[in-house]
Amino acid sequence: MKHYIIFFFLIFPEFLLSQNEMSVFNNQVELTEGVYTSLSEVLNNSPKYNDCRFETKVGFWFGNMSIYYFDKTGTRHEFNDTILFVVEDGNRYVRYKNYFCKLILTGAISTFYIENTVVYSSNFANTQTVLFYWDIQTGIMDKVNVDTMDEILKRDSSIYSTYSEIPNSTKKKTLYSYILKYNAHNPIYINPK
């Protein structure tokens, strides 16, 4: 009987592969275009809004944002749902507060930048670029720093054992490399497109 089972899988190998194919959530995976409103939609690669076009308007005085969408017929509707993640023209954007930030790194810990520009009365402008993370497991978004990454890296004992032994000044310089290691050791799987 064992020989028949082996023979069956040799003749029909697609039976083994097609049962539960998943893709690693990384920069190479092809994601379905649209607006994702929850983590479960992201992991299922199934956006709630995938056949519509969006328009955002920011109020001049107070910066209030209004979002509208156009359905398949071209009718404009006010958008009253949450937006977590957007895939448009192959680009990935996560919504953090009132920003739509392009992901730099996609993985268990995804990263993005936010630029803040301060213009002083002497017409001097200072722009700061801050690296943020999006922890896919918890949905938390925050600044990348030693304190915030410490809690996440504790989930992987092999990475954390080397990370915890180095001084804080070295941690700051090598933090991104630890994010890359964490993503390599702890892949998140999603449904393929």
Side-chain angles (χ1 to χ4, degrees), residues 64-75:
N64 297 335
M65 183 183 295
S66 300
I67 302 173
Y68 302 92
Y69 71 96
F70 297 87
D71 61 19
K72 294 177 188 177
T73 64
T75 306

Side-chain angles (χ1 to χ4, degrees), residues 65-192:
M65 183 183 295
S66 300
I67 302 173
Y68 302 92
Y69 71 96
F70 297 87
D71 61 19
K72 294 177 188 177
T73 64
T75 306
R76 182 179 175 203
H77 305 276
E78 188 168 358
F79 188 78
N80 293 319
D81 208 345
T82 59
I83 297 177
L84 174 64
F85 186 61
V86 176
V87 178
E88 182 179 57
D89 298 328
N91 295 313
R92 301 144 192 226
Y93 302 92
V94 67
R95 184 173 185 184
Y96 179 74
K97 297 185 179 177
N98 277 339
Y99 299 102
F100 287 96
C101 307
K102 186 175 180 180
L103 289 185
I104 301 163
L105 176 67
T106 305
I109 303 172
S110 297
T111 58
F112 57 94
Y113 284 113
I114 293 181
E115 288 187 353
N116 291 322
T117 303
V118 178
V119 179
Y120 298 98
S121 60
S122 63
N123 288 334
F124 172 73
N126 183 18
T127 301
Q128 291 182 335
T129 304
V130 181
L131 183 64
F132 281 74
Y133 73 89
W134 177 28
D135 179 11
I136 300 300
Q137 185 176 342
T138 63
I140 294 173
M141 295 180 206
D142 203 350
K143 292 179 183 178
V144 171
N145 60 43
V146 174
D147 296 330
T148 59
M149 287 294 102
D150 194 60
E151 290 302 312
I152 295 173
L153 295 177
K154 280 181 183 177
R155 294 185 216 148
D156 188 313
S157 59
S158 65
I159 292 174
Y160 190 72
S161 65
T162 58
Y163 174 78
S164 62
E165 293 176 358
I166 59 177
N168 277 349
S169 60
T170 306
K171 284 180 185 178
K172 289 178 185 178
K173 295 175 187 173
T174 60
L175 198 51
Y176 205 76
S177 68
Y178 280 97
I179 292 172
L180 295 173
K181 288 177 188 177
Y182 184 88
N183 285 349
H185 288 146
N186 302 283
I188 297 289
Y189 292 95
I190 64 167
N191 288 329

Side-chain angles (χ1 to χ4, degrees), residues 49-64:
Y49 301 93
N50 62 353
D51 279 336
C52 54
R53 188 172 51 89
F54 281 82
E55 173 184 285
T56 58
K57 291 188 176 185
V58 178
F60 180 74
W61 293 106
F62 300 107
N64 297 335

Side-chain angles (χ1 to χ4, degrees), residues 5-62:
I5 294 172
I6 293 171
F7 180 71
F8 178 76
F9 287 127
L10 289 174
I11 291 177
F12 301 106
E14 66 275 355
F15 181 75
L16 280 174
L17 298 175
S18 65
Q19 289 213 348
N20 203 2
E21 288 187 30
M22 298 293 277
S23 297
V24 175
F25 187 58
N26 60 22
N27 286 355
Q28 287 73 39
V29 69
E30 194 172 335
L31 298 173
T32 304
E33 302 259 332
V35 174
Y36 298 76
T37 61
S38 68
L39 274 175
S40 64
E41 290 175 22
V42 173
L43 296 176
N44 290 317
N45 198 9
S46 178
K48 187 172 183 179
Y49 301 93
N50 62 353
D51 279 336
C52 54
R53 188 172 51 89
F54 281 82
E55 173 184 285
T56 58
K57 291 188 176 185
V58 178
F60 180 74
W61 293 106
F62 300 107

